[in-house]
Amino acid sequence: MDENTCKLLVKLAQEGQLSSLEKLISLTLGGSAEVQTIGSKHFGRSGDTLLHYAARKGHLDIMEYLITRIGTDVEVYNNDYKRPLHEAASMSHQSCVSYLLREGAKVDSLKKADWTPLMMACTRRNLGVIRELMCHSADPALKNKDGWNSFHIACREGDPLVVQHLLVVTPDVWRTESKTRRTPLHTAAMHGCEEVVRILLERCGYAPGCTDSCGVTPFMDAVRNGHISVARLLLEKHQEGHTSTIKTLLELGADLHVRDKKGRTALHMACIGQHADAARTLLQLGLKDSEDACGTTAMQHARKPDVVRVFECGLPDPS
């Protein structure tokens, strides 16, 4: 088979031109044995087959032709060990995913770096494909070479519906760390996925101030990457009011006097969370108490005796 014919075969498979593809194969490859070889032929540097190209582009009719008429193996893989199911899942082609699974594709096959089709699907916000894979027993707890599972990846992408579905089907899937001890909460905070962070705080049991192998908390990840609303959410809901964290963030250039949409400062949030040490540190660093948009001072949120005492020790007042 010459180079021009190979290029044309790939082009027709990518463009979804089934009738032209059939004609070219029948004219170019006369014998049945030769026809079968086209199904296992690898093209280009990636080593993709025609089935890979069709799955990537979502051409179900060409996939059916290649599998049923040409005899292409549904588990054929390219140079990265990607199966057609990886391609269809990563590009959100649900009908192609369903067809490949019906034809016997292994739902948890591994490509290079140990990525499963479900992991590939979680890089997209397509709940239908994820449901289809999980209905065929795809395992979201499997990890790739970096220690990430599908839940990690979904938390990075930030689709609340996908994250909630994974938690419903596999309630303990959040109990995972990467090889650098990063949790899905770290991942969601780093990427500014506020709704996902909220879900994780409400439904999962992450310890306040959990750190990765470098000592970084989700709160620090959020601030370092400019996701202030996520940082406030963690401070308010997750009680990350550590004085060392505050000092580190200020050293990194965080604005001591920044306010949220309700006019609240970090001092307000420390008092709402009843964090005496954090409140004391903020006052010592020069953040004065002040009113928020509703006219409420941070001191008015103080309830615990040790928090109240912070404001009774002669430290700076609102004036």
Side-chain angles (χ1 to χ4, degrees):
M1 190 186 310
D2 61 45
E3 184 178 348
N4 288 334
T5 301
C6 289
K7 289 181 178 179
L8 185 54
L9 286 168
V10 170
K11 181 176 183 292
L12 295 174
Q14 289 179 318
E15 294 179 352
Q17 299 187 42
L18 176 58
S19 59
S20 298
L21 182 65
E22 287 181 292
K23 184 181 295 186
L24 179 61
I25 290 176
S26 63
L27 290 175
T28 305
L29 305 171
S32 60
E34 289 180 307
V35 170
Q36 289 178 354
T37 62
I38 197 65
S40 58
K41 182 172 177 56
H42 298 272
F43 299 86
R45 294 180 180 177
S46 63
D48 287 330
T49 66
L50 295 180
L51 187 57
H52 283 89
Y53 292 118
R56 188 179 303 139
K57 294 293 185 178
H59 300 312
L60 180 57
D61 54 350
I62 291 183
M63 289 175 56
E64 291 175 335
Y65 166 71
L66 292 169
I67 291 172
T68 61
R69 299 272 299 281
I70 301 299
T72 305
D73 183 0
V74 72
E75 281 293 292
V76 66
Y77 54 84
N78 66 10
N79 294 342
D80 288 331
Y81 298 100
K82 288 176 74 174
R83 276 68 168 180
L85 185 59
H86 285 99
E87 298 286 4
S90 67
M91 299 306 291
S92 297
H93 299 309
Q94 187 172 347
S95 60
C96 295
V97 167
S98 300
Y99 175 71
L100 289 167
L101 291 170
R102 289 197 303 271
E103 290 296 315
K106 296 178 181 178
V107 72
D108 282 330
S109 56
L110 301 179
K111 79 169 192 71
K112 191 175 182 180
D114 296 338
W115 280 64
T116 66
L118 181 59
M119 292 176 191
M120 302 292 287
C122 285
T123 65
R124 306 277 180 167
R125 297 188 175 202
N126 192 315
L127 182 56
V129 171
I130 291 167
R131 280 177 170 165
E132 182 70 13
L133 290 165
M134 295 189 72
C135 283
H136 284 78
S137 301
D139 186 356
L142 291 177
K143 294 184 177 184
N144 64 20
K145 71 175 184 64
D146 296 315
W148 282 40
N149 66 14
S150 294
F151 191 67
H152 260 113
I153 297 164
C155 288
R156 181 190 67 187
E157 296 305 313
D159 187 334
L161 294 178
V162 170
V163 170
Q164 288 173 331
H165 180 72
L166 290 170
L167 285 171
V168 168
V169 177
T170 315
D172 288 334
V173 71
W174 63 271
R175 298 178 184 275
T176 184
E177 292 181 343
S178 71
K179 289 187 176 180
T180 56
R181 292 180 50 201
R182 293 183 63 76
T183 67
L185 183 60
H186 280 90
T187 302
M190 179 179 180
H191 290 274
C193 304
E194 185 172 350
E195 287 306 308
V196 169
V197 169
R198 191 179 302 276
I199 292 169
L200 297 180
L201 294 179
E202 290 175 353
R203 300 186 58 172
C204 307
Y206 293 108
C210 56
T211 60
D212 64 12
S213 59
C214 295
V216 176
T217 69
F219 178 69
M220 293 170 71
D221 264 334
V223 175
R224 282 175 168 176
N225 288 278
H227 306 304
I228 303 302
S229 61
V230 173
R232 291 195 187 100
L233 178 62
L234 287 162
L235 182 62
E236 180 178 0
K237 300 292 186 181
H238 211 207
Q239 301 180 4
E240 290 205 33
H242 307 293
T243 58
S244 60
T245 299
I246 293 170
K247 291 177 180 178
T248 300
L249 292 173
L250 291 173
E251 290 171 1
L252 292 170
D255 183 2
L256 179 67
H257 303 281
V258 67
R259 293 176 180 266
D260 65 11
K261 293 179 181 179
K262 296 182 180 179
R264 298 177 299 188
T265 65
L267 185 59
H268 282 89
M269 306 312 296
C271 291
I272 288 171
Q274 305 304 309
H275 304 303
D277 288 342
R280 184 179 296 106
T281 298
L282 289 166
L283 289 168
Q284 290 172 342
L285 289 170
L287 180 59
K288 294 184 177 182
D289 195 3
S290 60
E291 295 181 348
D292 62 16
C294 296
T296 304
T297 65
M299 184 172 62
Q300 289 175 293
H301 290 292
R303 296 289 181 271
K304 290 186 176 180
D306 56 342
V307 181
V308 173
R309 282 195 295 272
V310 168
F311 295 91
E312 296 176 345
C313 294
L315 290 170
D317 58 34
S319 62

